Amino acid sequence: MSENQNLLAEQRRALILDEVRRRGGVRVNELTRKLGVSDMTVRRDLDALARQGVLEKVHGGAVPVVEASTHEPGFEAKSGLELTAKEDIARAAAELVAPGSAIALSGGTTTFALAHQLVDVPDLTVVTNSVRVADVFHAAQRTTGPRQGAATVVLTGGVRTPSDSLVGPVADQAIAALHFDVLFLGVHGISVEAGLSTPNLAEAETNRRLVQSARRVVVVADHTKWGVVGLSSFAALEQVDTLVTDAGLESGARSEVSEHLRRLVVAGEPDEGADI
């Protein structure tokens, strides 16, 4: 981490969280030196991250939270994490969307960011099981009024999860009857061994249906999702066409991804893969 007193709180907290996860714990005085800020600023940042449930404060510093494979954070808790990375990923993923195509967006904070990038893409048909994603498109229509080329949004029914996704038999049946060009899929965790996984069993089944109904599968996930394993796997890496991630993904993980996926897109870096 570089010393910079002008870092935004969001950026500073992301750096703190990365340091805690990488080292397994960090002291307040170490963070003040690395970030060039006061003890009080660091303690406020640690308080904010502890409220989000992503680290645990201990005497003189902080350690990572060891989460059970069944733990599912709520949408608000996840929405405050890796904001810059998610915006970068959303912009890169939006470039893969062709006007007039039928796409699906799963639940998640990264797909929520992607939805904001897609509201002006003409003639889209958007299938989603995310209440938050559907709200983005509906809010855009309320703001601008009826307009030619506005997205047609299909929101599945189902039972609402802590991440504001609709899952269960109703959602599964609706998705099974549909076919879309590209699925943009947010994930709880991704690894070589477990593939794509989630702590929610019902969401795993709904995600399986989404994958089965898509011609191409694009996973949108920041680097912190790599190596995380939830309770239930719903797709192998070989079922994914493209991973769109951020520059924080380490070189070793990039090599592993490249062995299993056709295309890796790192936001902000040249994309040498074939067009979707």
Side-chain angles (χ1 to χ4, degrees), residues 58 189 250:
V58 295
E250 296 181 351

Side-chain angles (χ1 to χ4, degrees), residues 250-273:
E250 296 181 351
S251 58
R254 296 188 190 197
S255 297
E256 288 186 294
V257 169
S258 298
E259 291 176 4
H260 295 270
L261 273 65
R262 183 171 65 87
R263 186 179 183 188
L264 172 65
V265 176
V266 180
E269 297 183 5
D271 177 18
E272 299 178 355

Side-chain angles (χ1 to χ4, degrees), residues 112 128 130-140 142 153 155 160:
F112 176 72
T128 186
S130 168
V131 176
R132 300 281 187 147
V133 166
D135 281 347
V136 170
F137 290 98
H138 292 317
R142 288 195 299 268
V153 180
L155 177 64
R160 198 164 180 163

Side-chain angles (χ1 to χ4, degrees), residues 38-261:
S38 67
D39 280 14
M40 186 65 68
T41 296
V42 169
R43 293 183 190 279
R44 282 198 299 265
D45 289 339
L46 293 179
D47 285 339
L49 292 167
R51 285 195 298 270
Q52 292 175 4
V54 295
L55 58 71
E56 179 181 353
K57 288 185 66 181
V58 295
H59 181 69
V63 295
V65 170
V66 179
E67 295 182 346
S69 62
T70 55
H71 175 68
E72 181 178 8
F75 186 92
E76 298 300 338
K78 293 188 291 185
S79 64
L81 303 176
E82 303 295 335
L83 288 176
T84 301
K86 290 172 183 176
E87 292 297 330
D88 291 343
I89 291 167
R91 283 189 290 271
E95 295 179 2
L96 307 179
V97 178
S101 57
I103 66 170
L105 299 178
S106 75
T109 52
T110 309
T111 50
F112 176 72
L114 174 57
H116 284 87
Q117 298 292 326
L118 299 179
V119 292
D120 292 323
V121 178
D123 301 317
L124 288 181
T125 299
V126 179
V127 177
T128 186
N129 68 321
S130 168
V131 176
R132 300 281 187 147
V133 166
D135 281 347
V136 170
F137 290 98
H138 292 317
Q141 292 182 21
R142 288 195 299 268
T143 301
T144 62
R147 61 182 174 85
Q148 186 175 7
T152 298
V153 180
V154 179
L155 177 64
T156 69
V159 178
R160 198 164 180 163
T161 71
S163 58
D164 287 343
S165 300
L166 300 176
V167 301
V170 173
D172 298 346
Q173 186 174 0
I175 293 165
L178 301 172
H179 305 279
F180 24 85
D181 300 313
V182 186
L183 164 64
F184 291 92
L185 186 62
V187 296
H188 173 81
I190 178 171
S191 71
V192 171
E193 296 78 17
L196 312 182
S197 62
T198 173
N200 188 304
L201 291 173
E203 186 169 45
E205 181 58 33
T206 299
N207 283 344
R208 285 190 197 100
R209 298 298 180 96
L210 285 167
V211 171
Q212 291 166 4
S213 293
R215 290 180 58 240
R216 294 183 177 89
V217 177
V218 178
V219 171
V220 288
D222 68 74
H223 69 281
T224 65
K225 304 296 181 67
W226 182 257
V228 175
V229 177
L231 177 65
S232 179
S233 295
F234 58 86
L237 287 188
E238 287 75 13
Q239 293 175 267
V240 177
D241 296 282
T242 303
L243 170 63
V244 184
T245 188
D246 65 290
L249 189 67
E250 296 181 351
S251 58
R254 296 188 190 197
S255 297
E256 288 186 294
V257 169
S258 298
E259 291 176 4
H260 295 270
L261 273 65

